[in-house]
Amino acid sequence: MNKSIITTFTVVSLVLGVAGAAGAAPLMYVATGDANDLVIIDLESDRIVGRIDELENAHGLAASAKTDYLVAGSMKPQQQEGGDMAKPAAVSEEEHAAHHAGGEASEEIQSPSFLSIIHPEHGHVMRRIAVRSLTHHTAISPDGRYAIAVHSGAGGISVVDLDKMDVITTVQTGGWPNYAVFSPSGERLYISNAQPGTLSEIETQNWSVKREIKVGKKPEHMVMSRNGEHLFIVDVEGAEVVIVDVEKNQVLKRLTVGAEPHGVDVTDDGKWLFVSSKGGEQLARFELDNDRVETITLQPAPYHLDYVDAVGKLYVSSRQSPLIWVFDPKTLAQINQIDIGKGVAHQMAVR
């Protein structure tokens, strides 16, 4: 183990030990892309309290209260068998844009990659699991047993059993799948498919596609209401959020948002929906009982976002700067700003 890893391990261990003893606010873990690490943020103070390295261009990151692990996807191809792992290299802006635009998959994007299984209390990657293609986003089932790797370039997903630490099956969905969300019971998994503009519903008992619904032009990020009744899906090209009744599997309504919407989250009580508009450089808050919207200008390029009910704060990252803004969700007033130092804040996970 090299010196930098030992240092990271020590810092993280001390922070987690103090947090556990004091019953402090939860920690947020943020994938930083080509900075090749995770940032750890204490959500009470909004301070960076550690970093976990050893990652290779992680964009996707997932956590669950029912597992000790974090699961990070890699946007770096595997090295050829028998060779040493190459220096981490970022997927180019053009290739990253292709993930969101449904463009032609390059050979690099279709290359085999891996998931990194991280034990945050140990402060490092515990294991790497080979998967068939670069992984954009990840998800963990509510019971903590399964991890999902979404492979945009390969047109489907890999399902990993976290007890066996191995891929147990793959599922083809639509072209350029982007995001994965489980139902609260874990019996169903939903995948947004950017190229055909569809939503795939997968039965997790046998990992088969049960049905699909046309939801928009290029659906990407999604969030499910806490009661499991509604999915809120960002349609990037349509500049909308599409609300789907998952029981009826039909579109209920569409909310107009700014250009290139990206991040989306909903409050636990179902009162507010938050949406970032990367191209329109704004943050929007919808009141879901009447669709009333309030927006603020936010620059540059608001990107991923996460509402954390435990601390009553909204976190929004920038695609162009290494920072995360912190907002009061009631007023949309900025209350803090976190400089992550390097990389871009991609998928966020709280535990």
Side-chain angles (χ1 to χ4, degrees), residues 57-75:
N57 202 12
H59 285 222
L61 181 68
S64 168
K66 296 297 180 70
T67 180
D68 292 334
Y69 302 114
L70 301 171
V71 177
S74 176
M75 292 281 280

Side-chain angles (χ1 to χ4, degrees), residues 202-231:
I202 296 171
E203 290 186 331
T204 59
Q205 184 177 6
N206 55 17
W207 301 106
S208 64
V209 177
K210 179 181 178 181
R211 52 188 175 180
E212 295 191 7
I213 178 174
K214 180 71 175 178
V215 292
K217 296 177 180 178
K218 281 188 170 58
E220 294 193 354
H221 288 211
M222 306 184 291
V223 64
M224 179 168 278
S225 61
R226 190 175 180 84
N227 61 14
E229 294 180 359
H230 299 135
L231 262 177

Side-chain angles (χ1 to χ4, degrees), residues 42-326:
D42 179 278
L43 296 186
E44 182 175 5
S45 63
D46 293 330
R47 287 178 167 271
I48 293 175
V49 294
R51 303 183 90 104
I52 299 176
D53 55 17
E54 305 176 86
L55 297 179
E56 283 75 29
N57 202 12
H59 285 222
L61 181 68
S64 168
K66 296 297 180 70
T67 180
D68 292 334
Y69 302 114
L70 301 171
V71 177
S74 176
M75 292 281 280
K76 175 185 178 294
Q78 285 182 12
Q79 177 67 304
Q80 294 287 337
E81 187 175 350
D84 293 332
M85 190 169 292
K87 179 182 178 181
V91 169
S92 70
E93 283 297 321
E94 292 76 14
E95 289 164 330
H96 184 267
H99 272 268
H100 293 282
E104 183 178 352
S106 71
E107 183 177 345
E108 184 178 42
I109 284 178
Q110 296 182 59
S111 299
S113 188
F114 52 83
L115 294 183
S116 292
I117 309 300
I118 304 157
H119 198 302
E121 291 187 12
H122 294 174
H124 62 92
V125 174
M126 306 292 288
R127 185 173 300 193
R128 286 193 171 93
I129 300 173
V131 290
R132 61 183 178 140
S133 181
L134 300 195
T135 298
H136 199 177
H137 295 118
T138 61
I140 298 178
S141 59
D143 62 5
R145 181 175 178 184
Y146 300 106
I148 304 300
V150 180
H151 309 303
S152 298
I157 64 171
S158 293
V159 182
V160 172
D161 186 314
L162 290 176
D163 291 331
K164 299 177 180 178
M165 289 292 176
D166 201 7
V167 175
I168 58 170
T169 191
T170 61
V171 183
Q172 286 302 112
T173 59
W176 288 94
N178 185 278
Y179 219 79
V181 173
F182 280 94
S183 65
S185 68
E187 295 177 356
R188 298 175 184 176
L189 172 68
Y190 296 90
I191 306 294
S192 59
N193 304 301
Q195 194 171 65
T198 61
L199 176 69
S200 297
E201 182 184 77
I202 296 171
E203 290 186 331
T204 59
Q205 184 177 6
N206 55 17
W207 301 106
S208 64
V209 177
K210 179 181 178 181
R211 52 188 175 180
E212 295 191 7
I213 178 174
K214 180 71 175 178
V215 292
K217 296 177 180 178
K218 281 188 170 58
E220 294 193 354
H221 288 211
M222 306 184 291
V223 64
M224 179 168 278
S225 61
R226 190 175 180 84
N227 61 14
E229 294 180 359
H230 299 135
L231 262 177
F232 302 89
I233 309 169
V234 168
D235 179 1
V236 176
E237 190 170 298
E240 297 176 325
V241 173
V242 182
I243 305 177
V244 173
D245 183 314
V246 295
E247 191 60 40
K248 297 178 180 177
N249 216 35
Q250 68 181 31
V251 173
L252 293 180
K253 65 175 68 173
R254 301 173 186 273
L255 305 176
T256 301
V257 294
E260 294 182 79
H262 198 85
V264 61
D265 206 355
V266 64
T267 55
D268 290 6
D269 60 9
K271 181 179 179 180
W272 290 321
L273 179 76
F274 301 99
V275 188
S276 63
S277 170
K278 188 171 61 171
E281 298 200 310
Q282 69 178 28
L283 173 66
R285 185 192 68 198
F286 289 89
E287 294 184 21
L288 291 174
D289 58 351
N290 58 20
D291 298 341
R292 189 166 157 192
V293 61
E294 182 174 346
T295 63
I296 61 169
T297 299
L298 189 58
Q299 297 173 327
Y303 192 43
H304 284 253
L305 63 77
D306 196 354
Y307 166 76
V308 185
D309 187 71
V311 292
K313 299 177 187 177
L314 176 67
Y315 295 82
V316 185
S317 69
S318 169
R319 183 66 182 93
Q320 294 181 8
S321 298
L323 61 85
I324 299 172
W325 298 284
V326 187

Side-chain angles (χ1 to χ4, degrees), residues 10-32:
T10 303
V11 171
V12 173
S13 297
L14 288 173
V15 168
L16 291 176
V18 172
L27 299 175
M28 175 181 281
Y29 300 83
V30 186
T32 62

